[in-house]
Amino acid sequence: MALPTGPLRLLVVAQLVNTLGLGLSMASSALYLTRIAGLSVAQAGLALSVAALVCMVASAPMGYVADRAGARGVLVAGLVAQALGTAALTLVGSVWTYLLVAVPLAIADAAQRGAKGAVIAGVVPADRRVHTRAYLRSVTNLGIAAGAALAGVGLALDTRPAYFALILGDAVTYLCAAVLLSRLDPVPPSPRRSDGPRLIALRDKPFLAFVALDGLLSTHFGMFEVALPLWIAHRTDAPHWLIAVLFLTNTTAVVLLQVRAARGTDEPTGAARAARRAGLALLVACGLYALSGQAHHAVTIALLVAGALTHVGAELWHAASGWGISFGLAPAHAHGQYQGAYAIGMQLGQMLAPFVVTTLAVSWGWPGWLLLGAVLALAGSAMPGVVAWALRNRPAPAELADA
């Protein structure tokens, strides 16, 4: 990918730096908590779930703050707060001290997520916003992969100083991203309307229906990251190294193809059609995964590879559809809170996914795969109708101008 120019260049470089740190953290955080900070596996899992729940609940309110206070300032402040909170993880010695750090860190994460969407809406023309999101997602996968590879050095050393180096490296990337993004043009605060509720996104029934469907579709991430490796290891005769090959294929495809897959999704109606394609592709992928459990040797591998390729196509369409719909349905004065509300669906889907997909796919076997695929196909197929409902209920342009 050629490096873009203008505001997108700053966004891309900041994203690459920040996700390099995210790769460091994703590869090492669970081991740090259990091996160095002294938490049990159960305590670590519970604490991480609590932090994820706080981030989800805070998403829309912090998006509202970004709209009212100025999105760029909230984005930069959120990244600085994340840098400080991440560095403070080196002081954790119990589940309670971890929560004392992790809860404010989750709120800062929610702030910068909602603010980032509002910044994109503020500095990027409307017809380039989905393209920008797609480009950033490609860079995200590249940064995480590089960070995870670097984390391997610290994990191999497996010492307290090595884990501290990974944590502080992650903190530094937040600060670097904050410095880079502070160079963007400010996004003016949006004045609050004198009448009506503040969190309008959480009262927008058609938009919340989209969020619910998008969250349901988001369970496919857990299907790929959790259920598929367990399925390969325990319910097929495929070699275990195939898991790594499929993960590498997925990451490479996202880096190379996400921008192309986002074409035609700048408007909500086109994005809704992409969601329908994503749901149907997930049904096909689940069918291929189900068949792999009944096959042997080379046929098993071929079915799993075909399923994974179909799955990543669905993933690309699903991601692009969410951006197009969430930007397209948001009033001009409320992009922050609408982006925050949009994030709730994906966060909830990813929280529930490990239990749901392992129960259906791994425990139930091939019937569970087919049921899971059918549910995802129905969710995707319902999206055009929900988006049409939402468009019928959008405020008129004159109302938006008065907001």
Side-chain angles (χ1 to χ4, degrees), residues 38-55:
L39 278 67
S40 68
V41 172
Q43 287 175 330
L46 177 62
L48 290 169
S49 296
V50 169
L53 181 62
V54 169
C55 183

Side-chain angles (χ1 to χ4, degrees), residues 72-116:
R72 190 199 66 175
V74 172
L75 174 58
V76 171
L79 290 168
V80 171
Q82 284 187 284
L84 298 174
T86 299
L89 291 173
T90 58
L91 305 176
V92 169
S94 69
V95 67
W96 299 112
T97 54
Y98 175 72
L99 288 173
L100 191 63
V101 174
V103 169
L105 194 55
I107 295 172
D109 187 27
Q112 68 92 10
R113 286 172 185 260
K116 184 181 293 181

Side-chain angles (χ1 to χ4, degrees), residues 208-218 318 378-384 386:
L208 292 180
F210 149 67
V211 169
L213 291 175
D214 187 75
L216 187 56
L217 283 171
S218 296
H318 168 237
L378 287 173
S381 297
M383 199 69 83
V386 167

Side-chain angles (χ1 to χ4, degrees), residues 238-316:
H240 291 183
W241 53 257
L242 183 63
I243 298 170
V245 171
L246 296 182
F247 270 78
L248 180 60
T249 301
N250 179 277
T251 301
T252 304
V254 171
V255 171
L256 297 178
L257 301 176
Q258 183 64 80
V259 173
R260 180 176 303 221
R263 292 174 182 171
T265 61
D266 296 299
E267 297 295 331
T269 50
R273 290 193 294 269
R276 181 170 57 199
R277 289 196 300 272
L280 295 174
L282 287 170
L283 174 59
V284 174
C286 286
L288 292 167
Y289 293 150
L291 287 173
S292 71
Q294 313 302 311
H296 301 286
H297 309 306
V299 177
T300 303
I301 294 174
L303 288 168
L304 289 169
V305 170
L309 291 174
T310 307
H311 193 152
V312 75
E315 178 182 335
L316 298 173

Side-chain angles (χ1 to χ4, degrees), residues 24 28 90 154 157 159-172:
L24 295 175
S28 62
T90 58
L157 294 172
T159 62
R160 180 180 292 268
Y163 283 105
F164 280 10
L166 295 176
I167 291 170
L168 295 175
D170 185 21
V172 168

Side-chain angles (χ1 to χ4, degrees), residues 17-27 140 143-144 147-148 170 173-174:
V17 170
N18 196 195
T19 53
L20 184 71
L22 182 58
L24 295 175
S25 173
M26 288 175 64
T140 293
I144 289 175
D170 185 21
T173 66
Y174 282 116

